[in-house]
Every structure is written in structure tokens, then in C-alpha cells.
């Protein structure tokens, strides 16, 4: 459904963290609607999270953790997927589930879609967001420490429906995966970020 706002109505449109609510086929229309609603010379700022967990030091992998790593696996993942880091499993499962109705690649495609819709002077920046306080840079360390609780909550709340309803995980499998993913997200040795 197109925006109900009048054309040339806003000087600024700030679209944040809406990717999980926009159907995969709506993005091009969403961009056109934003452009239509902006006044000439207006600004649009879009911020989305790429929920594909990464590690700055390469320790977060799809394979089984090495025995000599500095953290300890305390849960057994009860799924039919390959054993590996729970955060990678969480990311893979989330992207798989959401791909059925949403576009999990949206955070990486927004600038392209904006240009296609007719936006000019599009600036794109990928800003790493630490999941916990692990950085040597004080500012990033503080951001990671402040973000740790957000990530802990997000790992459970964002995934409950897609994992249990769309992927048919049992509630026990869901809780075990989320508990291990939370432990990994808060481990500074993994240096993780979305």
C-alpha cells in the first residue's frame, strides 16, 4: 500500500529499522513513495541492521569451534544443521526464514534502490556495530558495551516467530540456540558485529 502522505510534504524522512516489516516486493515502491513525499531539496536518511553476524578476527565460523579456542561451548545445538558457532547458525536460520517474505539483503541494497527510484547524491556508509565491548578503540568499546543488552534481547525476540513458525524449530531447540548465540555475542574474544 502506498504512503497516504501528500506529495512534497516533508523536508526530512528518517526511515530506521523497518526492513523486517517491509515485504520483499515492496522496496522499490517504498523508495518511490519516500521520494514523492519529500519536498524539493529534502533529505532522506535510512538506517538498517545487516543481521548477518560477522567476526573482525575470523573466529566466528560455520564450522565446529576448535578445542583450543578461549571460550567454551556450554550447550549442545539440537538441530539438523551442521555444528558451528551458534551466532552463525542464528544468522543463517534468520536469513533463511525471512527470505520467504522479506528481503534480508535490504541493508546492503538500499543505496542502489534509492538511486533507481531517482534519489541523487546518495551516500552509503556501512558502520560496524560491536555486539559487546571488545574493541581496542575506546569509543567502539563503549558502543559495544552499551549495545550488548540490545543484542541479547534481539536474538530472542526477533527470531521467535520465524524460527518456530516458519522453520518449525521446537521451542526447546529455539531456546538452546538463542542461549548459545547470546553467550557468543557477549564473548569479547569473538569480536562479533552484525
Amino acid at each position: 500500500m502506498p504512503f497516504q502522505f501528500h506529495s512534497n510534504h516533508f523536508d526530512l524522512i528518517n526511515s530506521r529499522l523497518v526492513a523486517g516489516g517491509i515485504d520483499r516486493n515492496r522496496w522499490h515502491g517504498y523508495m518511490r513513495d519516500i521520494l514523492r513525499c519529500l519536498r524539493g531539496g529534502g533529505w532522506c536518511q535510512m538506517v538498517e541492521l545487516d543481521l548477518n553476524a560477522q567476526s573482525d578476527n575470523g573466529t566466528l565460523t560455520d564450522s565446529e569451534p576448535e578445542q583450543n579456542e578461549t571460550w567454551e561451548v556450554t550447550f549442545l545445538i539440537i538441530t539438523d544443521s551442521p555444528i558451528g558457532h551458534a551466532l552463525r547458525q542464528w544468522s543463517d536460520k534468520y536469513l533463511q526464514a525471512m527470505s520467504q517474505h522479506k528481503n534480508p539483503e535490504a541493508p546492503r541494497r538500499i543505496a542502489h534502490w534509492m538511486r533507481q527510484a531517482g534519489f541523487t547524491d546518495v551516500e552509503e556508509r556501512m558502520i560496524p556495530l560491536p555486539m559487546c565491548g571488545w574493541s581496542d578503540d575506546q569509543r567502539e568499546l563503549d558502543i559495544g558495551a552499551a549495545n550488548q543488552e540490545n543484542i541479547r534481547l534481539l536474538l530472542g525476540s526477533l527470531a521467535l516467530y520465524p524460527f518456530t513458525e516458519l522453520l518449525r524449530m521446537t521451542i526447546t531447540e529455539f531456546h538452546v540456540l538463542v542461549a548459545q548465540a547470546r553467550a557468543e555475542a557477549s564473548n569479547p574474544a569473538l569480536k562479533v558485529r552484525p
Side-chain angles (χ1 to χ4, degrees), residues 147-162:
N147 193 38
Q148 188 168 343
E149 180 64 9
N150 293 333
I151 295 297
R152 189 189 75 73
L153 295 171
L154 176 133
L155 288 170
S157 62
L158 199 59
L160 180 61
Y161 178 82

Side-chain angles (χ1 to χ4, degrees), residues 64-163:
E64 189 168 357
E66 297 291 326
Q67 294 295 337
N68 63 353
E69 288 188 10
T70 58
W71 58 281
E72 191 175 306
V73 176
T74 56
F75 298 94
L76 173 64
I77 301 297
I78 310 169
T79 66
D80 56 2
S81 65
I83 299 285
H85 285 99
L87 272 172
R88 290 296 317 138
Q89 289 184 40
W90 187 98
S91 290
D92 291 346
K93 287 181 181 305
Y94 184 78
L95 297 175
Q96 173 192 357
M98 295 306 286
S99 292
Q100 297 176 35
H101 304 286
K102 309 298 178 185
N103 189 336
E105 293 181 6
R108 290 168 285 186
R109 308 262 314 154
I110 287 174
H112 173 72
W113 293 333
M114 290 179 83
R115 288 182 190 97
Q116 281 185 325
F119 283 88
T120 58
D121 300 322
V122 175
E123 180 183 323
E124 178 181 26
R125 288 191 302 163
M126 180 71 76
I127 302 171
L129 182 63
M131 290 188 185
C132 68
W134 57 260
S135 180
D136 294 333
D137 176 81
Q138 187 61 49
R139 182 174 180 270
E140 287 184 8
L141 178 76
D142 294 343
I143 290 170
N147 193 38
Q148 188 168 343
E149 180 64 9
N150 293 333
I151 295 297
R152 189 189 75 73
L153 295 171
L154 176 133
L155 288 170
S157 62
L158 199 59
L160 180 61
Y161 178 82
F163 285 20

Side-chain angles (χ1 to χ4, degrees), residues 10-41:
F10 297 104
D11 292 314
L12 170 68
I13 295 178
N14 187 0
S15 173
R16 294 186 303 177
L17 306 177
V18 298
I22 297 179
D23 288 341
R24 68 179 305 109
N25 297 324
R26 170 75 175 110
W27 279 100
H28 295 286
Y30 182 69
M31 297 299 174
R32 287 190 303 272
D33 282 345
I34 290 174
L35 186 61
R36 178 186 57 78
C37 292
L38 280 173
R39 290 187 180 129

